[in-house]
Amino acid sequence: MSSVAPFKPAANFAKKAHINTQAEYQKLYESSINEPENFWAEMAEELHWFKKWDKVVEYDFRKGEIKWFIGGKLNVSYNCLDRHVLAGNGNKTALLWEGNDPAESKSYSYSELLSEVQKCANVLKSNGIKKGDRVCIYMQMIPELAIAMLACTRIGAVHSIVFGAFSSDSLRDRINDSACKMLITQDSGVRGVKQDIPMKVNADTAAAECPSIEKILTVRRTGLEVNMKSGRDIYWHEEMDAADAECPVEEMDAEDPLYILYTSGSTGKPKGVLHTTGGYLVYTSLTHKYVFDYHEGDIYWCTADIGWVTGHSYIVYGPLANRAITMMYEGVPNYPDYGRFWKIVEKHKVNILYTAPTAIRALMKEGTSWPEKYDLSSLQLLGTVGEPIKEADWTWYNEVIGKKRCPIVDTWWQTETGGILITPLPGVTATKPGSATIPFFGVLPVILDEQGNELEGAAQGYLAIKAAWPSLMRTVYGDHDRFIQTYFARFPGYYFTGDGARRDEDGYYWITGRVDDVLNISGHRIGTAEVEGAIGRTDGVAEAAVVGFPHDIKGQGIYAFVTMMTGVDADDTTITAIENTVRKLIGPHAKPDKIQFTPALPKTRSGKIMRRILRKIAEGNVDQLGDISTLADPGVVTNLVDQRQ
Ligand code: WT7
């Protein structure tokens, strides 16, 4: 619990905010909860619909059935581009792009972006992509990524973006899970000091085991020579040059799929989270407007990678639907040096900055001299997402970056929720460092106990949501039963988030972290089962158990307990081999930070690994192991404690 008094929004910020009185927030929130149909109908009117909906919402959590704006017809690309151009705003800036190299940047007006998107949509069409087909996008943060996404939405193709750091094996599995027909990639990528991330090579390796892939469309980013397989591989620039600049939009049903995005769960392979068209766009645009208090002309920069949901909702779809100026950055926070973020803020006069606690920690540890070198006076609002922010980090962000002028919005949400659910409204909500504060319009969070009882008032327990909101995922692609089992089975009638939370006496929510075996490494979600599976495939390894431990920069680090096969001794080469297997099977971001070899893992008599014990050891709380008497062999614990890394 924070010891400091809540931070009230500065008067001059509040004055110009869209929502700036508690009464106004209260009125809107209550109407969103008491009359959701009226509230959401009114909010949906902000978008362009070819046909209005017949009914606003229908849902049944027990069956995992969720429908919004039933019967409505719209198109995402039309809403994000054509609508603004037709209203005479074609020359306004849509996308600012900052390259990894500080000398490189680009900007696209709404007209320019529209024309690129239409050409790209024609490229997709002429290469056999039709409404409903899945297109996998495996790229770094270059403008063509956003263009490809919008082109898919224009013709009703469903994109599935795979984060550019994933290995070819991960890419292959994701392509195969949703049978993508096309793969869009780039020759190679530049990111920080890495000047040749082998994107096309990985794409080729993956595609060799992807029978559904008919075409690979490759953007030339670095000019690296790549293999082009005749009949399958095509170059972006050649196709775009030949493409017609006009492409009519497909009128999509509000519930037609928009995209699939894979995310890790506690068990099994990654789940293909499916988002649909109408509700998603209504919700992401509305939250973008109010949470970031977006006003016309504001320069908005979300530092996330589009390979994760934050980039989908709050670099591309929400901002563009609001005719915002949205920035996309190809590089990393510390390239060429630790001043890069602040240099970018100064160069582009960024007004709204949305980043992650892990980035704040990494920059904070380099001291205040970096931000002090640059003019940060353009900043008006700061945001964070991905994990709870610690008070010290919040204070640094507030004082050193925001100069105590900028409200901070700590936004809680998930890949599954599509948009921000718990957040301050910057013109109204007094913030408490470390708390995501209060629910957004239409969101009904509850705290449940072990038995599923709703707890009242100040309480701690499981965080669940009691009613549907428009951007909730609709299914796990290809496995609706898994959707129900994962999110609706444990607490029938609720959407279960997988997070624990505390609600304080002011009704503020404090996320305490995952209550399942999902790790949050630098804001990236990684399932322990996936890492264990990968380690287990290293030569000589018998078994592995993976838990998280507190890590200064990453928030959580990966701690792996590994047993070798009888007769096999682990040495330094084993560690390298494990790291390489994880890199190959998942990607470098899933590499364990610590590996402890152990003759045995702590198991119950039924053979279940007691992770609670491993977690305590990894955290260094060896005096809090609790009851170990149910272990088949309590003796293994002594060795585990002694050999702690
Ligand atoms: C998990 C979702 C959606 C954006 C990025 C992550 C954690 C997210 C916060 C926050 C505390 C947070 C939760 C959540 N999380 N935002 N503001 N405060 N925890 O998306 O990969 O789907 O991960 O990230 O544990 O369940 P994701």
Side-chain angles (χ1 to χ4, degrees), residues 168-197:
S168 58
D169 285 40
S170 292
L171 175 62
R172 174 200 62 205
D173 294 347
R174 286 160 174 75
I175 291 173
N176 286 338
D177 186 76
S178 45
C180 298
K181 262 174 94 171
M182 184 189 269
L183 173 56
I184 309 181
T185 188
Q186 60 191 78
D187 45 9
S188 65
V190 289
R191 200 163 180 268
V193 293
K194 296 187 202 121
Q195 297 293 316
D196 51 3
I197 306 168

Side-chain angles (χ1 to χ4, degrees), residues 263 308-310 354 357 384-389 410-417 419 422 434 436 497-499 511-514 518 520 523-525:
T263 192
W308 308 103
V309 74
T310 310
Y354 187 31
T384 76
V385 60
E387 58 178 305
I389 182 163
D410 176 347
T411 61
W412 175 85
W413 59 297
Q414 310 177 294
T415 306
E416 294 88 337
T417 70
I422 301 184
T497 64
D499 279 346
I511 307 300
T512 53
R514 302 289 308 190
V518 172
N520 187 335
H524 297 161
R525 207 156 127 178

Side-chain angles (χ1 to χ4, degrees), residues 181-259:
K181 262 174 94 171
M182 184 189 269
L183 173 56
I184 309 181
T185 188
Q186 60 191 78
D187 45 9
S188 65
V190 289
R191 200 163 180 268
V193 293
K194 296 187 202 121
Q195 297 293 316
D196 51 3
I197 306 168
M199 306 300 289
K200 177 65 162 70
V201 170
N202 289 347
D204 287 342
T205 311
E209 297 174 55
C210 297
S212 60
I213 291 290
E214 292 170 8
K215 289 283 162 82
I216 300 183
L217 176 60
T218 302
V219 176
R220 192 177 261 170
R221 166 67 184 112
T222 62
L224 179 84
E225 198 154 330
V226 294
N227 247 330
M228 296 295 279
K229 187 171 162 185
S230 134
R232 185 195 70 179
D233 293 0
I234 46 181
Y235 266 124
W236 176 283
H237 59 279
E238 289 172 2
E239 297 284 314
M240 290 289 274
D241 282 349
D244 202 86
E246 265 169 51
C247 175
V249 302
E250 194 74 44
E251 294 190 9
M252 303 298 287
D253 193 276
E255 282 302 334
D256 275 336
L258 176 61
Y259 68 78

Side-chain angles (χ1 to χ4, degrees), residues 105 146 231 236 316 441 449 458 465 476 483 573 645:
S105 54
W236 176 283
V316 180
F441 304 134
D449 68 11
I465 316 287
V476 170
F483 178 52
T573 64
Q645 299 293 294

Side-chain angles (χ1 to χ4, degrees), residues 5 25 41 53 85 145 198 243 302 324 419 425 432 446 462 478 486 488 497 637:
Y25 164 76
W53 50 92
V85 173
L145 167 54
C302 165
L425 288 185
K432 304 183 190 183
V446 292
Y462 298 106
T486 309
F488 303 106
T497 64
V637 173

